[in-house]
Amino acid sequence: MPVRQIVIAGNWKMHKTQADSLEFLKGFLPQLSETSDEREVVLCAPFTALSALSKTLHGSRVKIGAQNIHWETSGAYTGEVAGNMLTELGVRYAIVGHSERRQYFGETDETVNWRLKAAQSAGLTPILCVGESKQQRDAGETEALITRQVNQALIDVDQQNLVIAYEPIWAIGTGDTCEAAEANRVIGLIRAQLENAAVPIQYGGSVKPGNVDEIMAQPEIDGALVGGASLAPDDFARIVNFES
Ligand code: 13P
């Protein structure tokens, strides 16, 4: 069995200016001195903060991620950002298909697939997000939905350069974390769909300092995608430094 990489990523969503981002690093970076090198630490910031973060993090172990990427390399796509615009800044990861993009911006399994391929072509590692709504869970549709999302998203996608995040929508920003054992079960189901069983699969949805140890103790869970708790340097440092 190949060893799976641990990836802990913060998703800042639409939070933090450049100045806020640099202020965050002042509090966060000193707390990484004891963090094992085996843990990949990523900050997925708004496009406008990436350049400032990149300059400050140059030579640091913390990698930078974007929260979206367009499928074309250039063109008439107002408001979108292409892969080479990100790699030029030193960006290494891109979140693709977050449920907020699917819900509010019309992202579909097809556009998610295009964006994944574009990220990989640009040399980025995409973090593919999948997850069911409360309604879908209550209707017993979780397994079918997740299977569809994973399979549609991964058509012609290179599974050697990929991270997946299982983020049940009902657990995002609600404080209502998915039971660790249940997250573990669904993540096992996702892994069973993959050609490459070594793809790191994260859990996301109300990950906090108080529950990260239990989540990371689950055998199928290889990391976390953290929203709210990644905004505060001390909280995110505690998450990155989870006790195993
Ligand atoms: P919260 O950690 O705020 O629940 O957000 C999770 C998320 O959506 C990360 O992408």
Side-chain angles (χ1 to χ4, degrees), residues 16-32:
K16 294 195 190 295
T17 63
Q18 293 194 66
D20 297 337
S21 305
L22 299 183
E23 192 58 33
F24 173 93
L25 293 184
K26 270 193 216 157
F28 179 64
L29 291 179
Q31 301 190 60
L32 294 188

